[in-house]
Structure formats: structure tokens, C-alpha cells
Amino acid sequence: MKTEILKMLRETEGYVSGQELCNKFGVSRTAIWKVINQLKEQGYVIDSVQNKGYHITEAPDVMTEEELQSCRKTKWAGQEIAYFDEIDSTNIKAKELAEQGYPNGTLVVADQQVSGRGRRGRSWESPSGTGIFMTLMLKPEINPNNASMLTLVAALAVAKAIKDVTGLEAQIKWPNDIVINGKKICGILTEMSAQFDYINHIVIGIGINVHNEVFSDEIAHMASSLLQESQGKKFRRAEIIEKVLEYFEEYYEIYLETEDLTALTGEYNKILVNMNKQVRVLDPKDEFEGKAMGITAKGELIVDTWESRKLVSSGEVSVRGIYGYV
Ligand code: ATP
């Protein structure tokens, strides 16, 4: 009922009368009043006026299930939401929920991760109150060989969502990072559980630096946050999550039509920070330099070297600019 009340308050321009809420939920005035008070305690600013009812004027920067469900506009992405103040890793939790039978589109969100991870066993700094730590769980009927492209689908969705909400020029560092002004704002980690040609589940973990004012010495030179890049603006994390879900749902459905990125390469390449730039490809087997020319429909990075054109698959590979991180 709390989520529904929040949703009604959000969707109504003026006041929602107490009587209307009582009728809709079949409960007493006192029951409604209690929920309104709980919301106020959580930081929602709700104006109550006699004979008019309730009107929400401000929402706190929380990512609770009620908050996210009340502003969700998607069909299936985030249909189930599990929120935690603190968790080991949202990807680990999402895998557990997948095994417990939670549906395609389940979203795990946390305010803090104590063992946030990146690719190749690296860690992801996830302090409390600063970021978005979320994992979208999917149970798709696709060929497991095509699953790694979902990292690129997610990167596109995150970059677009950040741009929409903040107005900042979010770009993609192939394949899985979002950068603003050359600094890393977001990392994406996709993991899959599959047998032969059948996928049990895929989890797409997304970490976004929102309010961070400082980073550890190790990453301070290449990491940044939305707060830092906007000279101190505070964006509401729930709003960003909602937009990410909306864009992901849209792009994922396009991806499913061909099980590749045919219809998305144009949009991806437009915001690819490496486009037409010299890059160093950090492939453990074969490190080389060349000019990045965009991605293929399979999500590979096209790199022209002096001798030839190479197609680099994601997975174990990172790219760097010749003079710095991008
Ligand atoms: P790279 O970013 O080096 O090209 P990658 O894409 O494989 O490589 P990820 O798996 O996305 O990296 O993230 C892990 C790395 O990101 C860490 O090793 C660290 O360098 C950096 N990192 C960790 N926490 C954060 C954070 N909160 N913001 C930005 N960068 C971070």
C-alpha cells in the first residue's frame, strides 16, 4: 500500500484527498495517516492540508523498493526489486535470487557494497551514500555466445540515462565503462550461468559514482562522480536508476530482434570515447596499438594497426588511450 500511495501522490498534480485514498485501499483514515507519517519519517516532504488532502513536494535520495517501484515506468525491467542498505555484492545477491526462482528483470540495489567487484577479480569502490550499486538479472532465451554483447547494451543505456538526467556528456569507453571528461563514472560487470546452449541466468552489475567527493589514491586520477563533473550538483539516485531501466528495456528489446547489435552500433559509436583515437589494447596474449574505428554488430572493437584491421572481442581485454586512461 505504501508504494501505491507514493505512486498516487507522485502522479497527481495537486492534492490527493484522504477519502480517495481510504476508498481506493479500503482502509481507515488513520491507516492512511500512518503511512503518510512513515513516508515523512523517511524524508519525503508531504504537505497535508485540511479538506484538500496530501501533496508531495520533495523526495529524499533513497533507493528503497517503494521509492523505485513508485517511479518505475518499465514493463518488466525491475518488476521485482530487492533493496539492501549494505550487501557483499549486488551481482552475488542477484545470482542467489535467480537460483531461488526470481523472474527475468529482477533488480538488486544497494547503498553500499562491502565486496564490490570489477572484471578479472578486481574490486569496485562502493562506499555508503555515494553511489548506485545495482544488478539487473535476466533469464533470456538466447545463445550464450551472444551474451557478452549485453554489457554493451547496458553501457549504452547507462550513458543515455546519465545524459538525460544530468545533462553531462557521458561517453562509453569500450566495452564496459562510462566516462565523463575522460574520467570513469561507471563500471559494468556481466556474469553468466549457462549449460551447453542454455542460459540459467545473466547478471549485469552496474556501479555509478554519484555523490563521491573523494576516491582512494589508486583511482583518484582516473575516477570521478556526477557530483564532481557537475561542480557540486546532487542528483537523485532513484531517478537515474529509473532511466537506466527504461533505456535498458528499450535497447535490450532491439538487441533481441537479431541477437546482436546491428541496430545499435550507430548509437554506440556516436558516444564511443575511443572513436577515431589511438588506443592501446591490453590483451594478455597480444598487446598492441592502433586506431579505434568503432564496434561491429557483434560488439567487437575495430582497431586499425599499421599492418591490418583487427577485431577485438571484449571479455578479458581493456583499452587505454595512448596518453592516459582514454
Ligand atoms: P579499466 O577500467 O581499467 O579499463 P575494466 O573495465 O576491466 O578496466 P572494471 O572491471 O570496470 O575495469 O573496474 C575495476 C577497476 O575500476 C578497478 O581495478 C579500479 O581501477 C577501478 N575502480 C574501482 N572502483 C571504482 C570506482 N568507484 N570508480 C571508478 N573506478 C573504479
Side-chain angles (χ1 to χ4, degrees):
M1 181 165 84
K2 211 200 243 172
T3 304
E4 288 300 308
I5 291 184
L6 199 49
K7 198 170 161 73
M8 268 180 85
L9 291 174
R10 281 226 151 95
E11 287 170 356
T12 311
E13 281 275 317
Y15 286 76
V16 182
S17 82
Q19 194 55 47
E20 203 179 326
L21 292 169
C22 293
N23 295 346
K24 180 159 165 98
F25 299 105
V27 296
S28 68
R29 284 252 180 185
T30 323
I32 298 292
W33 180 78
K34 272 192 187 153
V35 173
I36 296 284
N37 270 352
Q38 282 172 12
L39 289 170
K40 284 183 178 171
E41 270 163 31
Q42 288 169 11
Y44 293 89
V45 181
I46 300 170
D47 199 16
S48 347
V49 177
Q50 230 176 5
N51 297 327
K52 273 174 116 182
Y54 304 104
H55 174 63
I56 188 164
T57 56
E58 227 178 284
D61 179 37
V62 292
M63 302 180 286
T64 55
E65 185 191 350
E66 291 125 23
E67 169 63 19
L68 294 173
Q69 286 295 14
S70 71
C71 56
R72 185 168 72 87
K73 300 198 188 86
T74 50
K75 287 176 279 171
W76 52 266
Q79 60 173 311
E80 291 273 351
I81 296 178
Y83 168 79
F84 302 86
D85 285 330
E86 183 187 304
I87 204 166
D88 44 3
S89 130
T90 55
N91 268 21
I92 293 176
K93 190 61 179 185
K95 287 183 214 171
E96 279 169 24
L97 296 184
E99 274 154 27
Q100 286 168 25
Y102 274 69
N104 179 58
T106 296
L107 179 73
V108 178
V109 181
D111 181 58
Q112 176 180 14
Q113 294 186 114
V114 287
S115 349
R117 289 168 308 131
R119 297 193 300 165
R120 286 160 276 155
R122 297 159 13 142
S123 66
W124 185 259
E125 284 183 21
S126 316
S128 149
T130 60
I132 293 171
F133 310 110
M134 61 186 265
T135 296
L136 189 62
M137 184 266 282
L138 304 171
K139 293 186 168 173
E141 289 172 14
I142 57 169
N143 184 328
N145 295 324
N146 297 333
S148 66
M149 284 179 253
L150 290 174
T151 297
L152 284 79
V153 174
L156 190 54
V158 174
K160 288 286 205 177
I162 290 179
K163 167 89 208 239
D164 271 19
V165 176
T166 68
L168 296 165
E169 285 305 325
Q171 292 181 293
I172 301 171
K173 180 169 95 58
W174 182 89
N176 67 326
D177 297 322
I178 308 301
V179 298
I180 297 179
N181 297 322
K183 289 196 158 184
K184 186 157 160 181
I185 296 285
C186 161
I188 298 169
L189 175 67
T190 303
E191 296 176 287
M192 172 169 72
S193 155
Q195 300 150 359
F196 309 108
D197 58 351
Y198 179 78
I199 294 178
N200 299 318
H201 58 257
I202 291 175
V203 296
I204 305 178
I206 300 171
I208 308 177
N209 302 326
V210 184
H211 308 307
N212 313 53
E213 291 181 12
V214 285
F215 291 94
S216 70
D217 290 348
E218 276 155 62
I219 62 167
H221 63 285
M222 41 74 82
S224 189
S225 66
L226 299 179
L227 179 112
Q228 288 178 336
E229 293 308 312
S230 64
Q231 278 80 44
K233 279 204 192 131
K234 286 244 171 187
F235 298 101
R236 270 173 28 80
R237 290 175 288 176
E239 208 181 314
I240 299 172
I241 295 175
E242 197 287 317
K243 268 285 164 213
V244 171
L245 293 181
E246 256 186 79
Y247 272 115
F248 185 83
E249 199 172 87
E250 181 187 334
Y251 291 138
Y252 179 66
E253 288 176 6
I254 295 174
Y255 156 88
L256 282 184
E257 281 169 23
T258 49
E259 263 187 49
D260 69 14
L261 306 175
T262 303
L264 297 172
T265 49
E267 221 163 328
Y268 189 98
N269 286 337
K270 249 193 253 166
I271 52 171
L272 178 64
V273 72
N274 317 102
M275 191 74 183
N276 293 322
K277 294 220 184 94
Q278 286 294 122
V279 293
R280 174 180 289 278
V281 178
L282 307 178
D283 185 337
K285 283 173 248 130
D286 172 28
E287 209 172 286
F288 63 92
E289 279 178 20
K291 188 173 178 187
M293 306 303 292
I295 59 161
T296 67
K298 292 276 168 212
E300 301 140 318
L301 186 69
I302 305 163
V303 182
D304 283 350
T305 67
W306 283 112
E307 300 93 37
S308 63
R309 169 160 282 198
K310 297 199 181 195
L311 300 183
V312 186
S313 326
S314 51
E316 295 300 294
V317 180
S318 275
V319 293
R320 288 279 180 282
I322 296 295
Y323 302 109
Y325 183 61
V326 293

